[in-house]
Amino acid sequence: MNLKLRLIILSFLQFGVWGAYLTSMGNYLGSVGLGSKIGLFYAMQGIVSIFMPAIMGIIADRWIQAQKLLGISHFLAAVFLIWAGYYGMSAGNDVEFSRLFILYSLSVTFYMPTIALSNSVAYTVLVNNNYDTIRSFPPIRTLGTVGFICAMLFVNFAGIQNGGLTFNFSNNTNFPSFQNSYSQFFVSGILGIILFLYSFTLPKCEVNTSKEKRTLSDALGLKAFALFKEKKMAIFFIFSMFLGVSLQITNGYANPFITSFKAIPEYANTWGSNNANALISLSQVSETLCILLIPFFLKRYGIKKVMLMAMFAWFLRFGLFGLGNPGGGVWMFILSMIVYGIAFDFFNVSGSLFVDKETDRSIRSSAQGVFMMMTNGFGATIGMLGAQEVVNHYVFSQSDPVLQLAGWQTSWYIFAGYALIVTVAFAIIFKHQHNPNEIQEVKH
């Protein structure tokens, strides 16, 4: 099989696993009385990302081939998520927070490091076969977003009705969509098992087998953290954390927010309020297209301007949510989905490529783990815990649907204000001289 096609399949499954529940889990939690705990579930993704990606990166650098470690991690993540699905099925509406939270936490403990590991595997395989990562990786990563979209749409339109799998594409308010139930965990778990098996068919990623004498710091892979001694890298990682605060907010709260319009008679029968996941999937469609723009924008404008574009896009993302609705204002929701591609890709993918280019090959997996730790770790944890406080105060403290909607709007404006502050600060503090000759396009 063509090498790039094999990596495309890897990317498709990697993000399909995540897309099956990431944007819809908030709806399920709300349906079983755990709406006020949404932030904790999403924050757990951040908490484990503080240490697990770095640890797995060290293991992949030193002891276990990255593609094998990727497969093992997906297997464990899938087992715990399927277990969570079975618990949800048996508990019905009497779900205990602690039991579901523990099973979910164990699953994401092993899933979150696979994002950095899959990047590392792709980079290693491409470099070993003389491909340029700047040119070759974005199209591969694009199919990962396609996988995410396919999983989102499946859980949105699929459901179990009359004893069998049924699909509904209308605004039927009574359809038992997977996006509102524990079934989304089963979908994710099955994809994870498939990826576990597939990972062991990928080309080998060598570990560092050098017998030269190494310090304890080298042996543990802590050398990657020495990157913080470089002012440019330290500032980059710190602002990655600040921007990481925004990463999971719409994943956790966009679906419950859009679905909440069903309680308002004016919007109850709109397609968007009944198919929130499908509407949100436009964000991933935008992400798919924007990934392809990264090589051009990086070469022409450099990492600083590309990151600034991402930060300002987050400001627009949140602000348009606050202004829009699934009726006459649905165009603002759609515009918010469009700018998400810039917000997410220009930050995550460009940042990953920047780290890849700025670090030594011997610590590359560890460095990707550090980047993941700062963004999806510290940043996302702080962001979701903070967002939970904001949303619980302005939204879930209210019982009237109209007051809840006003609370949602206030929350989105607060998030938009934060993103704007980060944008201005980054523009002033981060000093990086762009050299377009550093990014060369190589033809194969």
Side-chain angles (χ1 to χ4, degrees):
M1 187 186 297
N2 177 273
L3 181 65
K4 287 187 178 180
L5 179 58
R6 295 173 71 183
L7 294 178
I8 284 172
I9 294 173
L10 165 64
S11 186
F12 184 93
L13 292 172
Q14 171 68 43
F15 290 94
V17 169
W18 213 13
Y21 70 84
L22 185 65
T23 61
S24 54
M25 183 174 63
N27 255 7
Y28 169 62
L29 294 175
S31 71
V32 293
L34 297 178
S36 63
K37 306 293 186 182
I38 290 174
L40 287 175
F41 278 81
Y42 284 86
M44 181 51 67
Q45 295 183 151
I47 292 171
V48 299
S49 293
I50 293 172
F51 56 91
M52 284 302 293
I55 291 174
M56 291 297 190
I58 292 167
I59 294 173
D61 279 336
R62 300 297 181 187
W63 297 296
I64 301 177
Q65 294 175 1
Q67 84 283 356
K68 291 182 179 179
L69 188 60
L70 178 69
I72 293 169
S73 298
H74 270 292
F75 174 77
L76 293 172
V79 167
F80 287 116
L81 198 60
I82 290 173
W83 192 350
Y86 274 115
Y87 170 64
M89 180 174 64
S90 61
N93 290 326
D94 297 322
V95 174
E96 292 181 11
F97 164 72
S98 59
R99 291 185 62 181
L100 184 63
F101 185 69
I102 289 172
L103 290 171
Y104 170 78
S105 298
L106 289 170
S107 177
V108 296
T109 294
F110 292 101
Y111 175 79
M112 294 309 292
T114 66
I115 299 174
L117 277 175
S118 64
N119 285 345
S120 182
V121 169
Y123 291 145
T124 300
V125 172
L126 288 170
V127 170
N128 287 348
N129 289 273
N130 300 315
Y131 286 94
D132 174 55
T133 55
I134 294 290
R135 183 172 182 266
S136 300
F137 180 70
I140 291 170
R141 174 60 180 78
T142 297
L143 269 294
T145 305
V146 172
F148 194 100
I149 294 170
C150 289
M152 284 182 68
L153 294 178
F154 181 79
V155 300
N156 183 99
F157 296 120
I160 301 298
Q161 197 170 43
N162 299 322
L165 181 65
T166 307
F167 292 91
N168 178 74
F169 300 96
S170 69
N171 57 350
N172 183 355
T173 59
N174 297 316
F175 180 71
S177 169
F178 284 165
Q179 71 171 324
N180 300 318
S181 77
Y182 54 79
S183 298
Q184 57 192 277
F185 295 151
F186 290 136
V187 175
S188 178
I190 291 170
L191 290 174
I193 294 296
I194 294 172
L195 183 48
F196 153 64
L197 297 172
Y198 181 73
S199 296
F200 285 84
T201 71
L202 294 170
K204 295 180 179 180
C205 299
E206 70 279 1
V207 295
N208 189 340
T209 58
S210 173
K211 295 183 179 180
E212 64 181 87
K213 188 175 180 179
R214 295 175 295 176
T215 65
L216 178 62
S217 176
D218 291 335
L220 294 176
L222 299 180
K223 196 172 182 179
F225 290 91
L227 291 170
F228 281 91
K229 294 180 179 179
E230 301 177 31
K231 183 178 179 180
K232 177 178 69 175
M233 294 302 295
I235 293 175
F236 172 79
F237 281 132
I238 290 171
F239 271 96
S240 293
M241 180 186 70
F242 288 153
L243 191 52
V245 167
S246 302
L247 286 182
Q248 297 294 338
I249 293 177
T250 51
N251 287 332
Y253 289 110
N255 200 312
F257 162 60
I258 296 174
T259 301
S260 72
F261 279 90
K262 292 169 65 175
I264 309 296
E266 180 183 353
Y267 306 109
N269 294 317
T270 57
W271 188 89
S273 65
N274 288 284
N275 293 278
N277 230 36
L279 183 60
I280 295 168
S281 72
L282 294 175
S283 299
Q284 278 64 45
V285 173
S286 172
E287 183 185 332
T288 303
L289 299 175
C290 287
I291 287 177
L292 302 177
L293 299 175
I294 289 175
F296 168 79
F297 276 86
L298 273 180
K299 186 173 179 64
R300 184 175 180 85
Y301 299 110
I303 187 65
K304 179 174 181 176
K305 290 183 179 179
V306 168
M307 292 282 283
L308 280 172
M309 292 176 193
M311 293 176 180
F312 188 72
W314 278 113
F315 164 71
L316 293 177
R317 167 75 161 174
F318 296 137
L320 289 166
F321 263 128
L323 293 170
N325 62 66
V330 72
W331 66 270
M332 284 184 274
F333 280 175
I334 293 174
L335 186 56
S336 177
M337 308 307 172
I338 292 173
V339 301
Y340 176 81
I342 297 173
F344 186 84
D345 289 335
F346 279 30
F347 166 61
N348 261 355
V349 180
S350 296
S352 176
L353 288 167
F354 178 73
V355 171
D356 184 68
K357 287 294 182 182
E358 294 289 328
T359 56
D360 185 82
R361 183 173 181 174
S362 65
I363 61 168
R364 199 156 289 162
S365 290
S366 301
Q368 290 293 340
V370 172
F371 177 63
M372 180 76 171
M373 175 190 70
M374 297 301 292
T375 56
N376 286 282
F378 288 114
T381 300
I382 294 169
M384 286 311 299
L385 292 177
Q388 178 175 270
E389 291 299 315
V390 171
V391 173
N392 285 354
H393 177 74
Y394 288 103
V395 179
F396 295 126
S397 63
Q398 307 291 337
S399 57
D400 186 295
V402 175
L403 294 178
Q404 284 191 338
L405 184 58
W408 277 119
Q409 292 171 330
T410 300
S411 299
W412 292 123
Y413 294 148
I414 290 173
F415 303 148
Y418 169 81
L420 186 60
I421 291 171
V422 173
T423 302
V424 174
F426 183 77
I428 296 172
I429 298 173
F430 185 66
K431 309 293 183 182
H432 177 67
Q433 189 66 38
H434 173 52
N435 179 9
N437 294 325
E438 290 178 352
I439 302 177
Q440 300 291 335
E441 290 199 343
V442 180
K443 295 183 179 180
H444 297 279

